[in-house]
Amino acid sequence: MPYADEAPVAQLDPGKGKTEKAYLWAYRSGKLEDGPPIVAFDYQPGRGGQFARDYLQDWQGRLMVDDFSGYKAP
């Protein structure tokens, strides 16, 4: 079963000289799929579930995630 998770990272805003919170989204293929495991990263400015939906697009199947409500949003 494929997995997904997101983690906060500090992003430098050059115009302000400060850091802001951004997110590194990680997606990993399942262990039962053919071939070597694949890990993909997607850097986004937020944690909203829309970022995962946009990345996965028309993919269908079950995705192992934590209980973050963004994954459940329509």
Side-chain angles (χ1 to χ4, degrees):
M1 181 177 301
Y3 309 87
D5 198 15
E6 73 292 333
V9 294
Q11 172 182 306
L12 179 61
D13 184 341
K16 296 180 184 175
K18 297 195 266 183
T19 59
E20 297 180 353
K21 190 183 288 188
Y23 286 85
L24 185 61
W25 292 73
Y27 303 91
R28 184 189 187 282
S29 61
K31 292 181 181 180
L32 300 178
E33 297 172 24
D34 291 337
I38 297 170
V39 178
F41 297 97
D42 187 29
Y43 189 79
Q44 293 293 341
R47 188 179 184 216
Q50 186 62 39
F51 295 114
R53 285 190 297 282
D54 289 347
Y55 185 83
L56 295 170
Q57 295 181 8
D58 295 327
W59 178 82
Q60 294 183 5
R62 294 178 187 242
L63 184 65
M64 178 72 72
V65 298
D66 57 17
D67 201 30
F68 170 50
S69 62
Y71 290 112
K72 300 173 188 173

Coordinates of all heavy atoms in Angstrom, one line a residue:
M1 N 0.8 -1.2 0.0 CA 0.0 0.0 0.0 C 0.9 1.2 0.0 O 1.8 1.3 0.8 CB -0.9 0.0 1.3 CG -1.8 1.1 1.3 SD -2.9 1.1 2.7 CE -3.8 -0.4 2.5
P2 N 0.7 2.2 -0.9 CA 1.4 3.4 -0.9 C 1.2 4.3 0.3 O 0.2 4.2 1.0 CB 0.9 4.1 -2.2 CG 0.2 3.1 -2.9 CD -0.3 2.1 -2.0
Y3 N 2.2 5.1 0.6 CA 2.2 5.9 1.8 C 2.4 7.4 1.4 O 3.0 7.7 0.4 CB 3.4 5.6 2.7 CG 3.5 4.1 3.1 CD1 4.2 3.3 2.3 CD2 2.9 3.6 4.2 CE1 4.3 1.9 2.6 CE2 3.0 2.3 4.5 CZ 3.7 1.4 3.7 OH 3.8 0.1 4.0
A4 N 1.9 8.3 2.3 CA 2.1 9.7 2.1 C 2.2 10.4 3.4 O 1.6 10.0 4.4 CB 1.0 10.4 1.3
D5 N 3.1 11.4 3.5 CA 3.2 12.2 4.7 C 3.7 13.6 4.3 O 4.3 13.8 3.2 CB 4.1 11.5 5.7 CG 4.0 12.1 7.1 OD1 3.0 12.8 7.4 OD2 4.9 11.8 7.9
E6 N 3.5 14.6 5.2 CA 4.0 15.9 5.0 C 4.8 16.4 6.2 O 4.4 16.0 7.3 CB 2.9 16.9 4.6 CG 2.0 17.3 5.7 CD 1.1 16.1 6.3 OE1 0.8 15.2 5.6 OE2 0.8 16.2 7.5
A7 N 5.8 17.2 6.0 CA 6.6 17.7 7.1 C 6.9 19.2 6.9 O 7.2 19.6 5.8 CB 7.9 16.9 7.2
P8 N 6.8 19.9 8.0 CA 7.1 21.4 7.8 C 8.6 21.6 7.6 O 9.5 20.9 8.2 CB 6.7 22.0 9.2 CG 6.7 20.8 10.1 CD 6.4 19.6 9.3
V9 N 9.0 22.6 6.8 CA 10.3 23.0 6.6 C 10.4 24.5 6.6 O 9.4 25.2 6.3 CB 10.9 22.5 5.3 CG1 11.0 21.0 5.3 CG2 10.1 22.9 4.1
A10 N 11.5 25.1 7.0 CA 11.7 26.6 7.0 C 12.1 27.0 5.5 O 13.0 26.4 4.9 CB 12.7 27.0 8.0
Q11 N 11.4 28.0 5.0 CA 11.7 28.5 3.7 C 12.0 30.0 3.8 O 11.3 30.8 4.4 CB 10.4 28.4 2.8 CG 10.5 29.1 1.5 CD 9.3 29.0 0.7 OE1 8.8 27.9 0.5 NE2 8.7 30.1 0.3
L12 N 13.2 30.3 3.3 CA 13.6 31.7 3.4 C 12.9 32.6 2.4 O 12.8 32.2 1.2 CB 15.1 31.8 3.1 CG 15.7 33.2 3.1 CD1 15.6 33.8 4.5 CD2 17.2 33.1 2.7
D13 N 12.3 33.7 2.8 CA 11.7 34.6 2.0 C 12.7 35.7 1.7 O 12.9 36.6 2.5 CB 10.4 35.2 2.6 CG 9.6 36.1 1.7 OD1 10.2 36.6 0.7 OD2 8.5 36.3 2.0
P14 N 13.4 35.7 0.5 CA 14.4 36.7 0.3 C 14.0 38.1 0.4 O 14.8 39.0 0.8 CB 14.9 36.4 -1.1 CG 14.4 35.0 -1.4 CD 13.2 34.8 -0.6
G15 N 12.8 38.5 0.0 CA 12.3 39.8 0.1 C 12.1 40.3 1.5 O 12.3 41.5 1.8
K16 N 11.9 39.4 2.4 CA 11.6 39.8 3.8 C 12.8 39.5 4.7 O 12.9 40.0 5.8 CB 10.4 39.1 4.4 CG 9.1 39.5 3.6 CD 7.9 38.7 4.2 CE 6.7 39.0 3.5 NZ 5.6 38.2 4.0
G17 N 13.7 38.6 4.3 CA 14.8 38.3 5.1 C 14.5 37.4 6.3 O 15.2 37.3 7.2
K18 N 13.3 36.8 6.2 CA 12.8 35.9 7.3 C 12.4 34.6 6.7 O 12.4 34.4 5.5 CB 11.5 36.5 8.0 CG 11.7 37.8 8.6 CD 10.6 38.2 9.5 CE 9.5 39.0 8.9 NZ 8.4 39.4 9.7
T19 N 12.2 33.6 7.6 CA 11.8 32.3 7.1 C 10.3 32.2 7.4 O 9.7 32.8 8.3 CB 12.5 31.2 7.9 OG1 12.2 31.3 9.3 CG2 14.0 31.2 7.6
E20 N 9.6 31.4 6.5 CA 8.2 31.1 6.6 C 8.1 29.6 6.5 O 9.0 28.9 6.1 CB 7.5 31.7 5.4 CG 7.5 33.2 5.4 CD 6.7 33.8 4.2 OE1 6.3 33.0 3.3 OE2 6.6 35.0 4.2
K21 N 7.0 29.1 7.0 CA 6.8 27.6 7.0 C 6.3 27.2 5.6 O 5.4 27.8 5.0 CB 5.7 27.3 8.0 CG 5.6 25.7 8.3 CD 4.6 25.4 9.3 CE 4.9 25.8 10.7 NZ 4.0 25.2 11.7
A22 N 6.9 26.1 5.1 CA 6.5 25.5 3.9 C 6.4 24.0 4.2 O 6.7 23.6 5.4 CB 7.4 25.7 2.8
Y23 N 6.0 23.1 3.3 CA 5.9 21.7 3.6 C 6.6 20.9 2.5 O 6.5 21.2 1.3 CB 4.4 21.3 3.7 CG 3.9 21.8 5.0 CD1 3.4 23.1 5.1 CD2 3.9 21.0 6.1 CE1 2.9 23.5 6.3 CE2 3.4 21.4 7.3 CZ 2.9 22.7 7.4 OH 2.4 23.2 8.6
L24 N 7.2 19.8 2.9 CA 7.8 18.8 2.0 C 6.9 17.6 2.1 O 6.7 17.0 3.2 CB 9.2 18.5 2.4 CG 9.9 17.5 1.5 CD1 10.1 18.1 0.1 CD2 11.3 17.2 2.1
W25 N 6.2 17.3 1.0 CA 5.3 16.2 0.9 C 6.1 15.0 0.4 O 6.8 15.1 -0.6 CB 4.1 16.5 0.0 CG 3.2 17.5 0.6 CD1 3.5 18.8 0.6 CD2 1.9 17.3 1.1 NE1 2.4 19.5 1.2 CE2 1.4 18.6 1.5 CE3 1.1 16.2 1.3 CZ2 0.2 18.7 2.0 CZ3 -0.1 16.4 1.8 CH2 -0.6 17.6 2.2
A26 N 6.0 13.8 1.0 CA 6.7 12.6 0.6 C 5.7 11.5 0.2 O 4.7 11.3 0.9 CB 7.6 12.1 1.7
Y27 N 5.9 10.9 -0.9 CA 5.0 9.8 -1.4 C 5.9 8.6 -1.6 O 7.0 8.7 -2.2 CB 4.3 10.2 -2.7 CG 3.5 11.4 -2.5 CD1 4.0 12.7 -2.8 CD2 2.2 11.3 -2.1 CE1 3.3 13.8 -2.7 CE2 1.4 12.5 -2.0 CZ 1.9 13.7 -2.2 OH 1.2 14.8 -2.1
R28 N 5.5 7.4 -1.1 CA 6.3 6.2 -1.3 C 5.4 5.1 -1.9 O 4.3 4.9 -1.4 CB 6.9 5.7 0.0 CG 7.8 4.5 -0.2 CD 8.2 3.9 1.2 NE 9.2 2.9 1.1 CZ 9.0 1.7 0.8 NH1 7.8 1.3 0.4 NH2 9.9 0.8 0.7
S29 N 6.0 4.3 -2.8 CA 5.2 3.2 -3.4 C 5.1 2.1 -2.3 O 5.8 2.1 -1.4 CB 5.9 2.7 -4.6 OG 7.2 2.2 -4.3
G30 N 4.2 1.2 -2.5 CA 3.9 0.1 -1.6 C 4.9 -1.0 -1.7 O 5.6 -1.2 -2.8
K31 N 5.1 -1.8 -0.7 CA 6.0 -2.9 -0.7 C 5.6 -4.1 -1.5 O 6.4 -4.9 -1.9 CB 6.2 -3.4 0.8 CG 6.9 -2.4 1.6 CD 7.1 -2.9 3.0 CE 7.8 -1.9 3.9 NZ 8.1 -2.3 5.2
L32 N 4.3 -4.2 -1.8 CA 3.8 -5.3 -2.6 C 3.7 -5.0 -4.1 O 3.3 -5.9 -4.9 CB 2.4 -5.7 -2.1 CG 2.3 -6.1 -0.6 CD1 0.9 -6.4 -0.2 CD2 3.2 -7.3 -0.3
E33 N 4.1 -3.9 -4.5 CA 4.1 -3.5 -5.9 C 5.4 -4.1 -6.6 O 6.4 -4.2 -5.9 CB 4.0 -2.0 -6.1 CG 2.7 -1.5 -5.6 CD 2.6 0.0 -5.6 OE1 3.3 0.6 -6.3 OE2 1.8 0.5 -4.8
D34 N 5.3 -4.3 -7.9 CA 6.5 -4.8 -8.6 C 7.6 -3.7 -8.7 O 7.3 -2.5 -8.8 CB 6.1 -5.2 -10.0 CG 5.2 -6.5 -10.0 OD1 5.3 -7.3 -9.0 OD2 4.5 -6.7 -11.0
G35 N 8.8 -4.1 -8.7 CA 9.9 -3.2 -8.9 C 10.4 -2.6 -7.6 O 9.9 -2.9 -6.5
P36 N 11.5 -1.8 -7.7 CA 12.1 -1.2 -6.5 C 11.1 -0.2 -5.9 O 10.3 0.4 -6.6 CB 13.4 -0.6 -7.0 CG 13.1 -0.3 -8.4 CD 12.2 -1.4 -8.9
P37 N 11.3 0.1 -4.6 CA 10.4 1.1 -4.0 C 10.8 2.5 -4.6 O 11.9 2.8 -5.0 CB 10.8 1.1 -2.5 CG 11.9 0.1 -2.4 CD 12.1 -0.5 -3.7
I38 N 9.8 3.3 -4.8 CA 9.9 4.7 -5.3 C 9.5 5.7 -4.3 O 8.5 5.5 -3.6 CB 9.1 4.8 -6.6 CG1 9.5 3.9 -7.7 CG2 9.1 6.3 -7.1 CD1 8.6 3.8 -8.8
V39 N 10.3 6.7 -4.1 CA 10.0 7.8 -3.2 C 10.0 9.1 -4.0 O 11.0 9.3 -4.7 CB 11.0 7.9 -2.0 CG1 10.6 9.1 -1.1 CG2 11.0 6.6 -1.2
A40 N 8.9 9.9 -3.9 CA 8.9 11.1 -4.6 C 8.6 12.2 -3.6 O 7.8 12.0 -2.6 CB 7.8 11.1 -5.7
F41 N 9.2 13.4 -3.8 CA 9.0 14.5 -2.9 C 8.3 15.7 -3.7 O 8.6 15.9 -4.8 CB 10.3 15.0 -2.3 CG 10.9 14.0 -1.4 CD1 11.9 13.1 -1.9 CD2 10.6 13.8 -0.1 CE1 12.5 12.2 -1.2 CE2 11.2 12.8 0.7 CZ 12.1 12.0 0.2
D42 N 7.5 16.4 -3.0 CA 6.8 17.6 -3.6 C 6.9 18.7 -2.6 O 6.4 18.6 -1.5 CB 5.3 17.2 -3.9 CG 4.6 18.3 -4.7 OD1 5.2 19.0 -5.4 OD2 3.4 18.3 -4.5
Y43 N 7.5 19.8 -3.0 CA 7.7 21.0 -2.1 C 6.5 21.9 -2.3 O 6.3 22.4 -3.5 CB 9.0 21.6 -2.5 CG 9.4 22.7 -1.5 CD1 10.0 22.4 -0.3 CD2 9.2 24.1 -1.9 CE1 10.4 23.4 0.6 CE2 9.6 25.1 -1.0 CZ 10.2 24.7 0.2 OH 10.6 25.7 1.1
Q44 N 5.8 22.3 -1.3 CA 4.6 23.1 -1.4 C 4.5 24.2 -0.3 O 5.1 24.0 0.8 CB 3.3 22.3 -1.3 CG 3.1 21.4 -2.5 CD 2.9 22.1 -3.8 OE1 2.5 23.3 -3.8 NE2 3.1 21.4 -4.9
P45 N 3.8 25.3 -0.5 CA 3.8 26.4 0.5 C 2.8 26.1 1.6 O 2.8 26.8 2.6 CB 3.3 27.6 -0.3 CG 2.5 27.0 -1.4 CD 3.2 25.7 -1.8
G46 N 2.0 25.0 1.5 CA 1.1 24.8 2.6 C 0.8 23.3 2.9 O 1.4 22.4 2.2
R47 N 0.0 23.0 3.8 CA -0.3 21.7 4.2 C -1.7 21.2 3.8 O -2.2 20.1 4.1 CB -0.2 21.6 5.8 CG -0.3 20.2 6.3 CD -0.2 20.2 7.8 NE -0.2 18.8 8.3 CZ -0.8 18.4 9.4 NH1 -1.4 19.3 10.2 NH2 -0.7 17.2 9.8
G48 N -2.5 22.0 3.1 CA -3.8 21.7 2.7 C -3.9 20.4 1.9 O -3.0 20.1 1.1
G49 N -4.9 19.7 2.1 CA -5.1 18.4 1.3 C -5.2 18.6 -0.2 O -4.9 17.7 -0.9
Q50 N -5.4 19.8 -0.6 CA -5.5 20.1 -2.1 C -4.1 19.8 -2.7 O -4.0 19.4 -3.9 CB -5.9 21.5 -2.4 CG -6.1 21.8 -3.8 CD -7.2 20.9 -4.4 OE1 -8.2 20.7 -3.8 NE2 -7.0 20.4 -5.6
F51 N -3.0 20.0 -2.0 CA -1.7 19.7 -2.5 C -1.5 18.2 -2.8 O -1.0 17.9 -3.9 CB -0.6 20.2 -1.6 CG -0.6 21.7 -1.4 CD1 -0.9 22.3 -0.2 CD2 -0.3 22.5 -2.5 CE1 -0.9 23.6 0.0 CE2 -0.3 23.9 -2.3 CZ -0.6 24.5 -1.1
A52 N -2.0 17.4 -2.0 CA -1.9 15.9 -2.2 C -2.8 15.5 -3.4 O -2.4 14.8 -4.2 CB -2.3 15.1 -0.9
R53 N -4.0 16.1 -3.4 CA -4.9 15.8 -4.5 C -4.4 16.2 -5.8 O -4.4 15.5 -6.9 CB -6.3 16.4 -4.3 CG -7.1 15.6 -3.2 CD -8.5 16.1 -3.1 NE -8.6 17.5 -2.7 CZ -8.5 17.9 -1.5 NH1 -8.2 17.1 -0.5 NH2 -8.6 19.2 -1.2
D54 N -3.8 17.4 -5.9 CA -3.2 17.9 -7.1 C -2.0 17.0 -7.6 O -1.8 16.7 -8.8 CB -2.7 19.3 -7.0 CG -3.8 20.3 -6.9 OD1 -5.0 20.0 -7.1 OD2 -3.5 21.5 -6.5
Y55 N -1.2 16.6 -6.6 CA 0.0 15.8 -7.0 C -0.5 14.4 -7.5 O 0.0 13.9 -8.5 CB 0.9 15.6 -5.8 CG 2.2 14.9 -6.1 CD1 3.2 15.6 -6.7 CD2 2.3 13.5 -5.9 CE1 4.4 14.9 -7.0 CE2 3.4 12.8 -6.2 CZ 4.5 13.5 -6.8 OH 5.6 12.9 -7.1
L56 N -1.4 13.8 -6.8 CA -1.8 12.4 -7.1 C -2.8 12.4 -8.3 O -3.0 11.3 -8.9 CB -2.5 11.7 -5.9 CG -1.5 11.5 -4.8 CD1 -2.3 11.1 -3.5 CD2 -0.4 10.5 -5.1
Q57 N -3.4 13.5 -8.6 CA -4.4 13.7 -9.7 C -5.4 12.5 -9.9 O -6.2 12.3 -9.0 CB -3.6 13.9 -11.0 CG -2.8 15.1 -11.0 CD -2.0 15.4 -12.3 OE1 -2.2 14.6 -13.3 NE2 -1.2 16.4 -12.3
D58 N -5.3 11.7 -10.9 CA -6.3 10.7 -11.2 C -5.9 9.3 -10.6 O -6.5 8.3 -10.9 CB -6.5 10.5 -12.7 CG -7.1 11.8 -13.3 OD1 -7.9 12.5 -12.6 OD2 -6.7 12.1 -14.5
W59 N -4.8 9.3 -9.8 CA -4.4 8.0 -9.2 C -5.6 7.5 -8.3 O -6.3 8.2 -7.6 CB -3.2 8.2 -8.3 CG -2.8 7.0 -7.6 CD1 -2.0 5.9 -8.1 CD2 -3.0 6.6 -6.3 NE1 -1.8 5.0 -7.2 CE2 -2.5 5.3 -6.1 CE3 -3.8 7.2 -5.2 CZ2 -2.6 4.6 -4.9 CZ3 -3.9 6.5 -4.0 CH2 -3.3 5.2 -3.8
Q60 N -5.8 6.2 -8.4 CA -6.8 5.5 -7.6 C -6.2 4.4 -6.8 O -5.4 3.7 -7.3 CB -8.0 5.0 -8.5 CG -8.7 6.2 -9.2 CD -9.9 5.6 -10.0 OE1 -10.2 4.5 -10.0 NE2 -10.5 6.5 -10.7
G61 N -6.7 4.2 -5.6 CA -6.3 3.1 -4.8 C -6.3 3.5 -3.3 O -6.9 4.6 -3.0
R62 N -5.7 2.8 -2.5 CA -5.7 3.1 -1.0 C -4.3 3.7 -0.7 O -3.3 3.3 -1.3 CB -5.9 1.8 -0.2 CG -7.2 1.3 -0.4 CD -7.4 0.0 0.4 NE -8.6 -0.6 0.1 CZ -9.6 -0.8 1.0 NH1 -9.4 -0.5 2.3 NH2 -10.7 -1.4 0.7
L63 N -4.4 4.7 0.2 CA -3.2 5.4 0.5 C -3.0 5.4 2.0 O -4.0 5.9 2.7 CB -3.3 6.9 0.0 CG -2.1 7.8 0.2 CD1 -0.9 7.3 -0.6 CD2 -2.4 9.2 -0.3
M64 N -1.9 5.0 2.6 CA -1.7 5.0 4.0 C -1.2 6.3 4.4 O -0.2 6.8 3.9 CB -0.6 3.9 4.4 CG -0.3 3.8 5.8 SD -1.6 3.1 6.8 CE -1.5 1.4 6.4
V65 N -1.9 7.0 5.4 CA -1.6 8.3 5.9 C -1.9 8.4 7.4 O -2.5 7.5 7.9 CB -2.4 9.4 5.1 CG1 -2.1 9.4 3.6 CG2 -3.9 9.2 5.4
D66 N -1.4 9.5 8.0 CA -1.8 9.7 9.4 C -3.2 10.2 9.4 O -3.9 10.3 8.4 CB -0.8 10.6 10.1 CG -0.6 12.0 9.4 OD1 -1.5 12.3 8.5 OD2 0.4 12.6 9.6
D67 N -3.7 10.7 10.5 CA -5.1 11.2 10.6 C -5.3 12.6 10.3 O -6.3 13.2 10.7 CB -5.6 10.8 12.0 CG -7.1 10.8 12.1 OD1 -7.7 10.4 11.1 OD2 -7.7 11.1 13.2
F68 N -4.4 13.2 9.5 CA -4.5 14.6 9.1 C -5.8 14.8 8.3 O -6.0 14.1 7.3 CB -3.3 15.1 8.3 CG -3.4 16.4 7.6 CD1 -3.8 17.5 8.3 CD2 -3.1 16.5 6.3 CE1 -3.9 18.7 7.7 CE2 -3.2 17.7 5.7 CZ -3.6 18.8 6.4
S69 N -6.7 15.7 8.6 CA -8.0 15.8 8.0 C -7.9 16.2 6.5 O -8.8 16.0 5.8 CB -8.8 16.8 8.8 OG -8.2 18.1 8.7
G70 N -6.8 16.8 6.1 CA -6.6 17.3 4.7 C -6.7 16.1 3.7 O -7.1 16.3 2.6
Y71 N -6.3 14.9 4.1 CA -6.4 13.8 3.2 C -7.8 13.3 3.0 O -8.1 12.6 2.1 CB -5.6 12.6 3.8 CG -4.1 12.8 3.8 CD1 -3.3 13.0 5.0 CD2 -3.4 12.9 2.6 CE1 -2.0 13.2 4.9 CE2 -2.0 13.1 2.6 CZ -1.3 13.2 3.8 OH 0.0 13.4 3.7
K72 N -8.7 13.7 3.9 CA -10.1 13.2 3.9 C -11.0 14.2 3.2 O -12.1 13.9 2.9 CB -10.6 13.0 5.3 CG -9.8 12.0 6.1 CD -10.3 11.9 7.5 CE -9.4 11.1 8.3 NZ -9.7 11.1 9.7
A73 N -10.5 15.4 2.9 CA -11.4 16.4 2.3 C -11.7 16.0 0.9 O -10.9 15.5 0.2 CB -10.7 17.8 2.3
P74 N -12.9 16.3 0.5 CA -13.4 16.0 -0.9 C -12.6 16.8 -2.0 O -12.0 17.8 -1.7 CB -14.8 16.3 -1.0 CG -15.1 17.1 0.2 CD -14.0 16.9 1.2

